[in-house]
Amino acid sequence: GENVEQHPSTLSVQEGDSAVIKCTYSDSASNYFPWYKQELGKRPQLIIDIRSNVGEKKDQRIAVTLNKTAKHFSLHITETQPEDSAVYFCAASLSGFGNEKLTFGTGTRLTIIP
Amino acid sequence: EPEVTQTPSHQVTQMGQEVILRCVPISNHLYFYWYRQILGQKVEFLVSFYNNEISEKSEIFDDQFSVERPDGSNFTLKIRSTKLEDSAMYFCASRAGTGGNYEQYFGPGTRLTVT
């Protein structure tokens, strides 16, 4: 089955700097890669996702890149703000065939230092 | 914006007791999921459900677990005889399944504590 590795486990950055979180996946058939943000005690919320037919997607300060050959994808947050502090989870899925279970990475605790 | 809801928010039960966790997925969504998250760990897939039957289950989802969609709105997870290691946050999620949208929407979770 699919296995997703995520690094780093913790990340501290100065407010205004950029943060990068990296994930690798094992199943080359996976074609959907969402990123979820989870604040303490709250539900995971989708912040951005990418499908395997594109290499990069951007939404304001957040971008995701995908390298299918190397089987890794990354989350980039620019101009970080205190409200970006949370745990971020990457996930991988084989989508389009009816099941779409998500296999999650181990999470990255991002702390923005004011 | 429509949201997935779950009840109760926190359930405390004794080992060996049965619990039922309830979820109301987003109306008109077709795919339903249960995930769990042990404190401080990653979210793990338990089961997916479509067209009134299980489409996939993980190795965690053994004979002690069952799911049901008793009516047009609720989606339940039952644990027949709880164990200490079942203590976790349980998230329900739903997905539209139409229009090529793969996003899964998560509920706020039920924290299950087994004593």
Side-chain angles (χ1 to χ4, degrees):
Chain A
E2 175 67 279
N3 183 51
V4 178
E5 302 281 342
Q6 183 172 348
H7 300 280
S9 56
T10 60
L11 179 61
S12 295
V13 301
Q14 289 290 140
E15 182 178 352
D17 287 351
S18 295
V20 180
I21 302 170
K22 299 182 180 181
C23 289
T24 59
Y25 60 99
S26 62
D27 188 349
S28 57
S30 290
N31 60 0
Y32 174 64
F33 307 93
W35 285 88
Y36 282 83
K37 176 183 181 182
Q38 187 179 30
E39 296 176 30
L40 191 62
K42 301 286 184 63
R43 74 186 79 193
Q45 293 201 293
L46 182 77
I47 55 171
I48 196 166
D49 56 11
I50 192 167
R51 301 190 191 187
S52 60
N53 58 347
V54 300
E56 184 173 0
K57 184 177 178 181
K58 192 172 181 180
D59 182 3
Q60 299 182 340
R61 297 186 298 108
I62 295 173
V64 56
T65 58
L66 171 66
N67 182 328
K68 282 192 298 183
T69 303
K71 289 189 283 188
H72 67 70
F73 56 113
S74 300
L75 177 71
H76 305 252
I77 306 174
T78 59
E79 300 171 21
T80 53
Q81 300 168 3
E83 53 265 36
D84 294 329
S85 293
V87 178
Y88 292 80
F89 290 96
C90 62
S93 170
L94 173 59
S95 295
F97 300 93
N99 178 13
E100 282 87 13
K101 70 173 184 181
L102 295 175
T103 301
F104 283 86
T106 48
T108 296
R109 181 174 300 281
L110 176 62
T111 302
I112 307 302
I113 304 166
Chain B
E1 185 176 333
E3 288 188 332
V4 177
T5 59
Q6 290 184 242
T7 54
S9 57
H10 191 191
Q11 174 90 48
V12 181
T13 190
Q14 288 191 323
M15 196 167 49
Q17 295 297 303
E18 175 184 287
V19 293
I20 298 176
L21 310 183
R22 291 184 165 79
C23 168
V24 179
I26 294 173
S27 174
N28 79 4
H29 278 195
L30 302 177
Y31 294 85
F32 314 111
Y33 308 83
W34 283 100
Y35 293 86
R36 80 171 187 191
Q37 184 178 33
I38 295 172
L39 187 64
Q41 297 185 24
K42 66 178 175 180
V43 178
E44 298 175 289
F45 168 77
L46 290 179
V47 65
S48 57
F49 192 87
Y50 170 71
N51 200 26
N52 282 318
E53 60 182 26
I54 291 173
S55 46
E56 186 169 350
K57 58 185 179 180
S58 72
E59 59 273 14
I60 302 169
F61 194 90
D62 62 22
D63 292 344
Q64 294 301 311
F65 290 85
S66 62
V67 290
E68 195 177 39
R69 188 156 161 82
D71 52 43
S73 58
N74 291 283
F75 180 49
T76 61
L77 174 69
K78 182 195 289 188
I79 309 175
R80 253 178 285 279
S81 178
T82 50
K83 302 188 277 280
L84 294 176
E85 53 265 38
D86 293 328
S87 294
M89 181 73 93
Y90 288 80
F91 291 105
C92 172
S94 70
R95 183 174 73 85
T98 57
N101 184 355
Y102 298 153
E103 180 177 355
Q104 292 186 24
Y105 295 80
F106 282 74
T110 293
R111 180 167 298 285
L112 176 65
T113 303
V114 183
T115 62

Short mmCIF file of all heavy atoms in Angstrom, two decimals, chain B residues 33-88:
data_model
loop_
_atom_site.label_atom_id
_atom_site.label_comp_id
_atom_site.label_asym_id
_atom_site.label_seq_id
_atom_site.Cartn_x
_atom_site.Cartn_y
_atom_site.Cartn_z
N TYR B 33 -16.28 8.53 4.85
CA TYR B 33 -15.06 7.94 5.39
C TYR B 33 -15.03 8.11 6.91
O TYR B 33 -15.56 9.07 7.45
CB TYR B 33 -13.82 8.65 4.82
CG TYR B 33 -13.79 8.74 3.31
CD1 TYR B 33 -14.48 9.77 2.65
CD2 TYR B 33 -13.08 7.83 2.55
CE1 TYR B 33 -14.45 9.86 1.26
CE2 TYR B 33 -13.05 7.92 1.17
CZ TYR B 33 -13.74 8.93 0.52
OH TYR B 33 -13.71 9.02 -0.84
N TRP B 34 -14.31 7.19 7.54
CA TRP B 34 -13.90 7.37 8.93
C TRP B 34 -12.38 7.27 8.99
O TRP B 34 -11.78 6.37 8.37
CB TRP B 34 -14.51 6.32 9.85
CG TRP B 34 -15.95 6.57 10.18
CD1 TRP B 34 -17.05 5.98 9.63
CD2 TRP B 34 -16.46 7.49 11.16
NE1 TRP B 34 -18.20 6.47 10.18
CE2 TRP B 34 -17.86 7.39 11.13
CE3 TRP B 34 -15.86 8.37 12.06
CZ2 TRP B 34 -18.69 8.15 11.97
CZ3 TRP B 34 -16.67 9.13 12.90
CH2 TRP B 34 -18.07 9.02 12.84
N TYR B 35 -11.80 8.21 9.72
CA TYR B 35 -10.38 8.21 10.00
C TYR B 35 -10.20 8.32 11.51
O TYR B 35 -11.11 8.76 12.22
CB TYR B 35 -9.69 9.43 9.36
CG TYR B 35 -9.66 9.43 7.85
CD1 TYR B 35 -10.73 9.94 7.11
CD2 TYR B 35 -8.55 8.96 7.16
CE1 TYR B 35 -10.69 9.97 5.72
CE2 TYR B 35 -8.51 8.98 5.76
CZ TYR B 35 -9.58 9.48 5.06
OH TYR B 35 -9.54 9.51 3.68
N ARG B 36 -9.03 7.94 12.01
CA ARG B 36 -8.76 8.18 13.42
C ARG B 36 -7.38 8.79 13.56
O ARG B 36 -6.50 8.64 12.71
CB ARG B 36 -8.88 6.91 14.24
CG ARG B 36 -7.67 6.00 14.17
CD ARG B 36 -7.74 4.88 15.15
NE ARG B 36 -6.48 4.14 15.15
CZ ARG B 36 -6.31 2.99 15.76
NH1 ARG B 36 -7.29 2.42 16.44
NH2 ARG B 36 -5.14 2.38 15.70
N GLN B 37 -7.20 9.50 14.67
CA GLN B 37 -5.92 10.14 14.95
C GLN B 37 -5.61 9.94 16.43
O GLN B 37 -6.26 10.56 17.29
CB GLN B 37 -5.97 11.62 14.60
CG GLN B 37 -4.65 12.34 14.76
CD GLN B 37 -4.74 13.80 14.35
OE1 GLN B 37 -5.76 14.46 14.51
NE2 GLN B 37 -3.64 14.33 13.82
N ILE B 38 -4.66 9.07 16.71
CA ILE B 38 -4.19 8.92 18.08
C ILE B 38 -3.41 10.18 18.43
O ILE B 38 -2.73 10.76 17.58
CB ILE B 38 -3.32 7.65 18.22
CG1 ILE B 38 -4.21 6.42 17.96
CG2 ILE B 38 -2.67 7.57 19.58
CD1 ILE B 38 -3.46 5.12 17.87
N LEU B 39 -3.53 10.61 19.68
CA LEU B 39 -2.96 11.88 20.11
C LEU B 39 -1.51 12.05 19.67
O LEU B 39 -0.66 11.21 19.96
CB LEU B 39 -3.07 12.01 21.63
CG LEU B 39 -2.69 13.35 22.23
CD1 LEU B 39 -3.65 14.44 21.73
CD2 LEU B 39 -2.69 13.30 23.76
N GLY B 40 -1.26 13.14 18.93
CA GLY B 40 0.09 13.46 18.51
C GLY B 40 0.58 12.70 17.30
O GLY B 40 1.73 12.86 16.88
N GLN B 41 -0.29 11.87 16.72
CA GLN B 41 0.13 11.06 15.58
C GLN B 41 -0.62 11.49 14.31
O GLN B 41 -1.40 12.42 14.31
CB GLN B 41 -0.09 9.57 15.88
CG GLN B 41 0.75 9.08 17.05
CD GLN B 41 0.63 7.58 17.27
OE1 GLN B 41 0.29 6.84 16.34
NE2 GLN B 41 0.91 7.15 18.47
N LYS B 42 -0.34 10.79 13.23
CA LYS B 42 -0.97 11.16 11.97
C LYS B 42 -2.38 10.62 11.87
O LYS B 42 -2.79 9.75 12.64
CB LYS B 42 -0.14 10.65 10.79
CG LYS B 42 -0.09 9.14 10.67
CD LYS B 42 0.71 8.74 9.45
CE LYS B 42 0.89 7.25 9.37
NZ LYS B 42 1.68 6.88 8.16
N VAL B 43 -3.12 11.16 10.94
CA VAL B 43 -4.47 10.69 10.66
C VAL B 43 -4.38 9.38 9.88
O VAL B 43 -3.64 9.27 8.90
CB VAL B 43 -5.23 11.75 9.84
CG1 VAL B 43 -6.62 11.28 9.51
CG2 VAL B 43 -5.28 13.08 10.60
N GLU B 44 -5.17 8.39 10.33
CA GLU B 44 -5.14 7.05 9.69
C GLU B 44 -6.51 6.69 9.14
O GLU B 44 -7.54 6.87 9.81
CB GLU B 44 -4.76 5.98 10.72
CG GLU B 44 -3.40 6.14 11.36
CD GLU B 44 -3.19 5.10 12.45
OE1 GLU B 44 -3.85 5.21 13.52
OE2 GLU B 44 -2.40 4.17 12.23
N PHE B 45 -6.54 6.16 7.95
CA PHE B 45 -7.76 5.72 7.29
C PHE B 45 -8.32 4.47 7.99
O PHE B 45 -7.57 3.53 8.32
CB PHE B 45 -7.45 5.40 5.83
CG PHE B 45 -8.55 4.67 5.10
CD1 PHE B 45 -9.68 5.34 4.66
CD2 PHE B 45 -8.44 3.31 4.83
CE1 PHE B 45 -10.68 4.67 3.98
CE2 PHE B 45 -9.43 2.63 4.15
CZ PHE B 45 -10.55 3.31 3.72
N LEU B 46 -9.63 4.48 8.22
CA LEU B 46 -10.30 3.30 8.77
C LEU B 46 -11.14 2.59 7.70
O LEU B 46 -10.99 1.40 7.45
CB LEU B 46 -11.20 3.69 9.93
CG LEU B 46 -10.53 4.15 11.22
CD1 LEU B 46 -11.59 4.53 12.25
CD2 LEU B 46 -9.62 3.08 11.78
N VAL B 47 -12.06 3.35 7.10
CA VAL B 47 -13.04 2.72 6.21
C VAL B 47 -13.62 3.76 5.27
O VAL B 47 -13.73 4.94 5.60
CB VAL B 47 -14.14 2.04 7.05
CG1 VAL B 47 -14.95 3.07 7.82
CG2 VAL B 47 -15.05 1.16 6.22
N SER B 48 -13.98 3.30 4.07
CA SER B 48 -14.72 4.14 3.13
C SER B 48 -16.04 3.45 2.79
O SER B 48 -16.14 2.21 2.83
CB SER B 48 -13.91 4.41 1.87
OG SER B 48 -13.54 3.20 1.24
N PHE B 49 -17.04 4.25 2.44
CA PHE B 49 -18.41 3.75 2.30
C PHE B 49 -19.05 4.46 1.13
O PHE B 49 -19.01 5.70 1.03
CB PHE B 49 -19.15 4.06 3.60
CG PHE B 49 -20.48 3.39 3.76
CD1 PHE B 49 -20.57 2.13 4.31
CD2 PHE B 49 -21.66 4.04 3.42
CE1 PHE B 49 -21.80 1.51 4.51
CE2 PHE B 49 -22.89 3.44 3.61
CZ PHE B 49 -22.96 2.17 4.15
N TYR B 50 -19.64 3.68 0.24
CA TYR B 50 -20.31 4.25 -0.93
C TYR B 50 -21.45 3.35 -1.35
O TYR B 50 -21.31 2.12 -1.32
CB TYR B 50 -19.31 4.41 -2.09
CG TYR B 50 -19.94 4.77 -3.41
CD1 TYR B 50 -20.48 6.04 -3.61
CD2 TYR B 50 -20.03 3.83 -4.44
CE1 TYR B 50 -21.08 6.35 -4.82
CE2 TYR B 50 -20.63 4.15 -5.65
CZ TYR B 50 -21.15 5.41 -5.84
OH TYR B 50 -21.75 5.74 -7.03
N ASN B 51 -22.55 3.93 -1.71
CA ASN B 51 -23.70 3.18 -2.21
C ASN B 51 -24.13 2.11 -1.21
O ASN B 51 -24.41 0.97 -1.57
CB ASN B 51 -23.34 2.54 -3.56
CG ASN B 51 -24.57 2.16 -4.36
OD1 ASN B 51 -25.64 2.74 -4.19
ND2 ASN B 51 -24.42 1.18 -5.22
N ASN B 52 -24.13 2.51 0.05
CA ASN B 52 -24.59 1.66 1.15
C ASN B 52 -23.76 0.43 1.41
O ASN B 52 -24.27 -0.56 1.96
CB ASN B 52 -26.06 1.25 0.94
CG ASN B 52 -27.02 2.37 1.30
OD1 ASN B 52 -26.83 3.05 2.31
ND2 ASN B 52 -28.02 2.57 0.48
N GLU B 53 -22.50 0.49 1.02
CA GLU B 53 -21.64 -0.63 1.39
C GLU B 53 -20.20 -0.15 1.54
O GLU B 53 -19.81 0.90 1.02
CB GLU B 53 -21.71 -1.76 0.35
CG GLU B 53 -21.30 -1.39 -1.05
CD GLU B 53 -21.46 -2.56 -1.99
OE1 GLU B 53 -22.31 -3.46 -1.73
OE2 GLU B 53 -20.74 -2.61 -2.99
N ILE B 54 -19.43 -0.93 2.29
CA ILE B 54 -18.03 -0.62 2.49
C ILE B 54 -17.28 -0.82 1.18
O ILE B 54 -17.42 -1.87 0.54
CB ILE B 54 -17.43 -1.51 3.60
CG1 ILE B 54 -18.02 -1.13 4.97
CG2 ILE B 54 -15.91 -1.41 3.62
CD1 ILE B 54 -17.61 -2.07 6.10
N SER B 55 -16.50 0.17 0.77
CA SER B 55 -15.70 0.02 -0.44
C SER B 55 -14.25 -0.36 -0.12
O SER B 55 -13.60 -1.03 -0.91
CB SER B 55 -15.74 1.28 -1.30
OG SER B 55 -15.55 2.44 -0.53
N GLU B 56 -13.77 0.06 1.03
CA GLU B 56 -12.43 -0.37 1.45
C GLU B 56 -12.31 -0.20 2.96
O GLU B 56 -12.93 0.70 3.54
CB GLU B 56 -11.33 0.44 0.76
CG GLU B 56 -9.93 -0.08 1.05
CD GLU B 56 -8.86 0.54 0.17
OE1 GLU B 56 -9.20 1.24 -0.81
OE2 GLU B 56 -7.67 0.31 0.47
N LYS B 57 -11.52 -1.06 3.58
CA LYS B 57 -11.26 -0.91 5.01
C LYS B 57 -9.79 -1.21 5.28
O LYS B 57 -9.16 -1.98 4.55
CB LYS B 57 -12.17 -1.81 5.84
CG LYS B 57 -12.08 -3.29 5.50
CD LYS B 57 -13.11 -4.07 6.28
CE LYS B 57 -13.03 -5.56 5.93
NZ LYS B 57 -14.03 -6.36 6.69
N SER B 58 -9.27 -0.61 6.32
CA SER B 58 -7.88 -0.83 6.68
C SER B 58 -7.77 -2.01 7.64
O SER B 58 -8.78 -2.53 8.14
CB SER B 58 -7.29 0.43 7.32
OG SER B 58 -7.81 0.60 8.62
N GLU B 59 -6.53 -2.35 7.94
CA GLU B 59 -6.32 -3.47 8.87
C GLU B 59 -6.75 -3.12 10.29
O GLU B 59 -6.99 -3.98 11.12
CB GLU B 59 -4.85 -3.92 8.85
CG GLU B 59 -3.85 -2.84 9.22
CD GLU B 59 -3.43 -1.99 8.06
OE1 GLU B 59 -4.07 -2.03 6.99
OE2 GLU B 59 -2.45 -1.23 8.21
N ILE B 60 -6.88 -1.81 10.56
CA ILE B 60 -7.35 -1.38 11.87
C ILE B 60 -8.82 -1.75 12.04
O ILE B 60 -9.29 -2.08 13.13
CB ILE B 60 -7.20 0.15 12.03
CG1 ILE B 60 -5.74 0.57 11.84
CG2 ILE B 60 -7.73 0.62 13.37
CD1 ILE B 60 -5.57 2.07 11.71
N PHE B 61 -9.56 -1.69 10.96
CA PHE B 61 -11.02 -1.89 10.95
C PHE B 61 -11.31 -3.38 11.03
O PHE B 61 -11.62 -4.03 10.02
CB PHE B 61 -11.61 -1.26 9.70
CG PHE B 61 -13.10 -1.09 9.74
CD1 PHE B 61 -13.66 0.07 10.24
CD2 PHE B 61 -13.95 -2.09 9.24
CE1 PHE B 61 -15.04 0.24 10.27
CE2 PHE B 61 -15.32 -1.93 9.27
CZ PHE B 61 -15.87 -0.76 9.78
N ASP B 62 -11.22 -3.95 12.24
CA ASP B 62 -11.44 -5.38 12.39
C ASP B 62 -12.90 -5.67 12.73
O ASP B 62 -13.76 -4.78 12.60
CB ASP B 62 -10.49 -5.95 13.45
CG ASP B 62 -10.71 -5.33 14.83
OD1 ASP B 62 -11.81 -4.81 15.08
OD2 ASP B 62 -9.78 -5.39 15.64
N ASP B 63 -13.18 -6.87 13.17
CA ASP B 63 -14.57 -7.29 13.40
C ASP B 63 -15.26 -6.51 14.51
O ASP B 63 -16.48 -6.60 14.65
CB ASP B 63 -14.61 -8.78 13.75
CG ASP B 63 -14.23 -9.65 12.57
OD1 ASP B 63 -14.23 -9.11 11.44
OD2 ASP B 63 -13.93 -10.84 12.77
N GLN B 64 -14.50 -5.78 15.30
CA GLN B 64 -15.10 -4.98 16.37
C GLN B 64 -15.72 -3.68 15.83
O GLN B 64 -16.47 -3.03 16.55
CB GLN B 64 -14.05 -4.63 17.43
CG GLN B 64 -13.53 -5.84 18.19
CD GLN B 64 -14.65 -6.60 18.89
OE1 GLN B 64 -15.47 -6.01 19.59
NE2 GLN B 64 -14.70 -7.91 18.70
N PHE B 65 -15.38 -3.34 14.60
CA PHE B 65 -15.86 -2.09 14.00
C PHE B 65 -16.97 -2.39 12.98
O PHE B 65 -16.92 -3.41 12.28
CB PHE B 65 -14.73 -1.36 13.28
CG PHE B 65 -13.67 -0.78 14.19
CD1 PHE B 65 -12.61 -1.55 14.64
CD2 PHE B 65 -13.74 0.55 14.57
CE1 PHE B 65 -11.63 -1.01 15.46
CE2 PHE B 65 -12.77 1.10 15.40
CZ PHE B 65 -11.71 0.32 15.84
N SER B 66 -17.91 -1.49 12.90
CA SER B 66 -18.90 -1.57 11.84
C SER B 66 -19.38 -0.16 11.51
O SER B 66 -19.26 0.75 12.33
CB SER B 66 -20.09 -2.45 12.23
OG SER B 66 -20.76 -1.92 13.35
N VAL B 67 -19.86 0.02 10.29
CA VAL B 67 -20.40 1.31 9.88
C VAL B 67 -21.79 1.08 9.30
O VAL B 67 -22.12 0.00 8.81
CB VAL B 67 -19.52 2.03 8.85
CG1 VAL B 67 -18.23 2.52 9.47
CG2 VAL B 67 -19.23 1.14 7.64
N GLU B 68 -22.56 2.17 9.38
CA GLU B 68 -23.94 2.08 8.91
C GLU B 68 -24.41 3.45 8.48
O GLU B 68 -23.98 4.47 9.02
CB GLU B 68 -24.83 1.57 10.06
CG GLU B 68 -26.18 1.09 9.65
CD GLU B 68 -26.96 0.54 10.85
OE1 GLU B 68 -26.87 1.12 11.94
OE2 GLU B 68 -27.67 -0.47 10.67
N ARG B 69 -25.27 3.44 7.47
CA ARG B 69 -25.95 4.66 7.09
C ARG B 69 -27.44 4.39 7.26
O ARG B 69 -28.11 3.97 6.32
CB ARG B 69 -25.61 5.04 5.66
CG ARG B 69 -26.11 6.40 5.24
CD ARG B 69 -25.28 6.93 4.09
NE ARG B 69 -25.94 8.00 3.36
CZ ARG B 69 -25.95 9.27 3.74
NH1 ARG B 69 -25.36 9.62 4.85
NH2 ARG B 69 -26.54 10.20 3.01
N PRO B 70 -27.94 4.57 8.47
CA PRO B 70 -29.29 4.10 8.80
C PRO B 70 -30.41 4.88 8.10
O PRO B 70 -31.51 4.37 7.95
CB PRO B 70 -29.36 4.30 10.32
CG PRO B 70 -28.36 5.35 10.62
CD PRO B 70 -27.27 5.18 9.62
N ASP B 71 -30.11 6.11 7.69
CA ASP B 71 -31.12 6.90 6.99
C ASP B 71 -30.40 7.76 5.96
O ASP B 71 -29.22 7.53 5.69
CB ASP B 71 -31.93 7.75 7.99
CG ASP B 71 -31.01 8.56 8.89
OD1 ASP B 71 -30.04 9.14 8.39
OD2 ASP B 71 -31.27 8.60 10.10
N GLY B 72 -31.07 8.74 5.42
CA GLY B 72 -30.46 9.52 4.36
C GLY B 72 -29.46 10.55 4.80
O GLY B 72 -28.85 11.21 3.98
N SER B 73 -29.28 10.69 6.15
CA SER B 73 -28.40 11.77 6.59
C SER B 73 -27.29 11.31 7.53
O SER B 73 -26.21 11.87 7.50
CB SER B 73 -29.22 12.87 7.27
OG SER B 73 -29.93 12.35 8.37
N ASN B 74 -27.51 10.29 8.34
CA ASN B 74 -26.51 9.90 9.33
C ASN B 74 -25.58 8.83 8.81
O ASN B 74 -25.94 8.00 7.97
CB ASN B 74 -27.21 9.40 10.59
CG ASN B 74 -27.91 10.50 11.34
OD1 ASN B 74 -27.29 11.29 12.02
ND2 ASN B 74 -29.22 10.58 11.17
N PHE B 75 -24.36 8.85 9.36
CA PHE B 75 -23.34 7.84 9.05
C PHE B 75 -22.67 7.52 10.37
O PHE B 75 -22.14 8.41 11.02
CB PHE B 75 -22.35 8.41 8.03
CG PHE B 75 -21.25 7.47 7.61
CD1 PHE B 75 -21.51 6.18 7.21
CD2 PHE B 75 -19.93 7.92 7.59
CE1 PHE B 75 -20.49 5.33 6.81
CE2 PHE B 75 -18.89 7.08 7.19
CZ PHE B 75 -19.18 5.78 6.81
N THR B 76 -22.76 6.25 10.81
CA THR B 76 -22.29 5.92 12.15
C THR B 76 -21.13 4.93 12.12
O THR B 76 -21.01 4.11 11.20
CB THR B 76 -23.43 5.31 12.98
OG1 THR B 76 -23.88 4.10 12.37
CG2 THR B 76 -24.59 6.28 13.12
N LEU B 77 -20.31 5.04 13.15
CA LEU B 77 -19.23 4.09 13.38
C LEU B 77 -19.48 3.45 14.73
O LEU B 77 -19.62 4.15 15.73
CB LEU B 77 -17.86 4.80 13.39
CG LEU B 77 -16.66 3.94 13.77
CD1 LEU B 77 -16.35 2.91 12.69
CD2 LEU B 77 -15.43 4.83 14.02
N LYS B 78 -19.57 2.13 14.76
CA LYS B 78 -19.78 1.40 16.00
C LYS B 78 -18.54 0.60 16.35
O LYS B 78 -17.97 -0.07 15.49
CB LYS B 78 -20.99 0.46 15.89
CG LYS B 78 -21.30 -0.29 17.18
CD LYS B 78 -22.25 -1.47 16.96
CE LYS B 78 -23.63 -1.05 16.65
NZ LYS B 78 -24.57 -2.23 16.63
N ILE B 79 -18.16 0.69 17.61
CA ILE B 79 -17.10 -0.17 18.12
C ILE B 79 -17.76 -1.06 19.15
O ILE B 79 -18.30 -0.56 20.16
CB ILE B 79 -15.94 0.62 18.76
CG1 ILE B 79 -15.45 1.71 17.80
CG2 ILE B 79 -14.80 -0.33 19.11
CD1 ILE B 79 -14.37 2.62 18.40
N ARG B 80 -17.75 -2.35 18.90
CA ARG B 80 -18.55 -3.29 19.70
C ARG B 80 -18.03 -3.46 21.12
O ARG B 80 -18.79 -3.41 22.07
CB ARG B 80 -18.60 -4.65 19.02
CG ARG B 80 -19.93 -4.98 18.39
CD ARG B 80 -19.87 -6.33 17.69
NE ARG B 80 -19.16 -6.27 16.44
CZ ARG B 80 -19.70 -5.84 15.29
NH1 ARG B 80 -20.95 -5.44 15.24
NH2 ARG B 80 -18.99 -5.83 14.18
N SER B 81 -16.77 -3.65 21.28
CA SER B 81 -16.17 -3.89 22.59
C SER B 81 -14.87 -3.09 22.64
O SER B 81 -13.84 -3.54 22.14
CB SER B 81 -15.92 -5.39 22.78
OG SER B 81 -15.29 -5.63 24.03
N THR B 82 -14.94 -1.91 23.23
CA THR B 82 -13.81 -0.99 23.15
C THR B 82 -12.60 -1.49 23.94
O THR B 82 -12.74 -2.17 24.98
CB THR B 82 -14.21 0.40 23.67
OG1 THR B 82 -14.85 0.25 24.95
CG2 THR B 82 -15.15 1.08 22.70
N LYS B 83 -11.42 -1.13 23.40
CA LYS B 83 -10.16 -1.44 24.05
C LYS B 83 -9.46 -0.13 24.37
O LYS B 83 -9.78 0.92 23.80
CB LYS B 83 -9.28 -2.29 23.13
CG LYS B 83 -9.92 -3.60 22.68
CD LYS B 83 -8.92 -4.47 21.94
CE LYS B 83 -8.77 -4.11 20.50
NZ LYS B 83 -9.87 -4.66 19.68
N LEU B 84 -8.50 -0.19 25.29
CA LEU B 84 -7.77 1.02 25.66
C LEU B 84 -7.14 1.68 24.43
O LEU B 84 -7.14 2.91 24.31
CB LEU B 84 -6.67 0.70 26.69
CG LEU B 84 -7.14 0.23 28.06
CD1 LEU B 84 -5.94 -0.15 28.93
CD2 LEU B 84 -7.97 1.32 28.75
N GLU B 85 -6.64 0.86 23.52
CA GLU B 85 -5.96 1.39 22.33
C GLU B 85 -6.91 2.01 21.31
O GLU B 85 -6.46 2.55 20.29
CB GLU B 85 -5.09 0.32 21.67
CG GLU B 85 -5.80 -0.97 21.35
CD GLU B 85 -5.65 -2.03 22.44
OE1 GLU B 85 -5.66 -1.67 23.64
OE2 GLU B 85 -5.55 -3.22 22.07
N ASP B 86 -8.20 1.93 21.55
CA ASP B 86 -9.17 2.61 20.68
C ASP B 86 -9.28 4.09 21.02
O ASP B 86 -9.94 4.85 20.30
CB ASP B 86 -10.55 1.97 20.78
CG ASP B 86 -10.59 0.55 20.22
OD1 ASP B 86 -9.84 0.27 19.26
OD2 ASP B 86 -11.35 -0.28 20.77
N SER B 87 -8.66 4.50 22.11
CA SER B 87 -8.69 5.91 22.49
C SER B 87 -8.01 6.75 21.40
O SER B 87 -6.85 6.51 21.07
CB SER B 87 -7.96 6.13 23.82
OG SER B 87 -8.65 5.48 24.88
N ALA B 88 -8.75 7.67 20.85
CA ALA B 88 -8.27 8.47 19.73
C ALA B 88 -9.32 9.51 19.38
O ALA B 88 -10.43 9.49 19.91
CB ALA B 88 -7.99 7.60 18.51
#
